[in-house]
Amino acid sequence: MRNTAKLTTAVLAAGALTLGLTACGADKDSASSDTSGPLIVAASPTPHAEILTYVRDNLAKKAGLDLEVKEFTDYVTPNTATEDGSVGANYFQNQPYLDDFNKKNGTHIAPVVTVHLEPLGLYSNKIEKADALKSGATIAVPNDTVNEARALKLLAANGLITLKDGAGNSATPADIAENPKNLKFKELEAAQTPRSLDDVDAAVVNGNYAIEADLKPAEDALVLESPKNNPYGNFLAVKEGNEKDPRVTKLAKLLTSPEVKKFIEDKYAGSVLPSF
């Protein structure tokens, strides 16, 4: 697309999060301080950038919004670019992840409006049901704090493991109280989990990376997160103080419009769920 710049960034482990990371090729003079210019939004390619591109091409002009979309392939740079003003907003993350990121990095990113949920799922190229996992099977899980905990909660919710009381959004395999199948865990950067399916018995994969890997969460997942009372909805976010930017408020309204709800339902067929 004409106004969409694709930025390929290095895959970064959670332990290497630093504020020194900046968006490759992003112009700091396009920061959110100038509300007369276009609103530049950093987004994961799928489904975030796809949803934003739909808004840009079909709804933004009528609303008087000049919207640009920049794609990033990691979960770090969109926040650091928003913090330093290289972009005016981002759309890729959930609240537990943002809380952890702000705490670890001293950033000041704030949510604006929740748009959708990408259910986390367990996938396998070797078995067709989760209860077919053999003793000692290896499961790949995301290695960032929040998504690893989320993956373990998914396994616990489906009876594969039991977590210790009080294990929360920072749970690790060390917090497993019962592991009847003696499952082993391979911790990988989230984007790598679908690529590991030929090397492990199963993998817990974030919804956006599952879709990019041509997996259909609603059909292919052995087990899938329930959307009921799910805290992991993905939202539009900005640096604190920019929530009332008129461009941001216009985009927030468009992202939660009936047109976007229908686009999500039609395009993703249950693999991405509207949260509004």
Side-chain angles (χ1 to χ4, degrees):
M1 294 291 181
R2 175 168 48 91
N3 290 330
T4 302
K6 290 189 176 181
L7 302 184
T8 302
T9 58
V11 174
L12 301 169
L17 306 184
T18 63
L19 288 177
L21 295 169
T22 57
C24 300
D27 296 323
K28 290 190 178 182
D29 60 8
S30 64
S32 55
S33 57
D34 179 11
T35 61
S36 64
L39 178 63
I40 303 172
V41 184
S44 297
T46 305
H48 309 79
E50 294 174 348
I51 295 170
L52 288 169
T53 297
Y54 170 80
V55 170
R56 186 197 66 197
D57 292 349
N58 296 277
L59 306 175
K61 184 176 181 180
K62 185 177 180 180
L65 174 64
D66 186 359
L67 177 63
E68 294 186 12
V69 184
K70 286 192 173 182
E71 296 184 10
F72 293 81
T73 59
D74 70 287
Y75 285 167
V76 177
T77 320
N79 275 338
T80 57
T82 303
E83 178 75 12
D84 71 21
S86 301
V87 300
N90 68 56
Y91 174 33
F92 77 100
Q93 64 192 320
N94 58 54
Q95 191 67 59
Y97 179 84
L98 176 60
D99 290 344
D100 181 70
F101 191 96
N102 278 336
K103 181 179 179 180
K104 287 181 175 177
N105 295 279
T107 45
H108 308 85
I109 311 301
V112 176
V113 66
T114 301
V115 181
H116 76 268
L117 171 71
E118 301 160 24
L120 198 74
L122 177 69
Y123 301 85
S124 177
N125 286 347
K126 299 176 181 178
I127 58 173
E128 295 184 358
K129 294 183 179 180
D131 58 12
L133 283 166
K134 296 179 179 179
S135 178
T138 298
I139 299 179
V141 295
N143 68 359
D144 64 271
T145 301
V146 169
N147 282 308
E148 181 170 50
R150 187 180 175 188
L152 295 175
K153 289 179 182 179
L154 174 67
L155 299 178
N158 287 277
L160 294 171
I161 59 172
T162 301
L163 292 173
K164 297 176 182 176
D165 291 342
N169 292 330
S170 59
T172 71
D175 295 298
I176 295 174
E178 297 180 19
N179 186 359
K181 287 182 177 285
N182 193 29
L183 300 174
K184 297 178 174 58
F185 298 94
K186 186 173 184 178
E187 297 166 303
L188 299 173
E189 198 278 332
Q192 300 295 326
T193 53
R195 302 171 197 170
S196 73
L197 283 169
D198 288 334
D199 303 317
V200 296
D201 297 290
V204 179
V205 183
N206 291 73
N208 61 315
Y209 291 130
I211 295 168
E212 288 176 14
D214 294 325
L215 296 168
K216 297 179 180 179
E219 299 176 12
D220 298 334
L222 304 182
V223 296
L224 197 64
E225 275 183 325
S226 169
K228 186 176 180 180
N229 299 321
N230 195 303
Y232 297 105
N234 283 204
F235 47 67
L236 179 70
V238 297
K239 187 174 182 178
E240 289 178 4
N242 294 332
E243 294 93 333
K244 300 301 183 182
D245 181 324
R247 302 168 302 170
V248 172
T249 57
K250 285 179 181 178
L251 179 57
K253 185 175 181 179
L254 294 177
L255 283 172
T256 54
S257 65
E259 293 89 344
V260 168
K261 183 176 183 179
K262 185 176 187 302
F263 173 78
I264 292 173
E265 291 173 340
D266 290 349
K267 182 172 181 64
Y268 301 109
S271 296
V272 178
L273 305 172
S275 296
F276 56 92

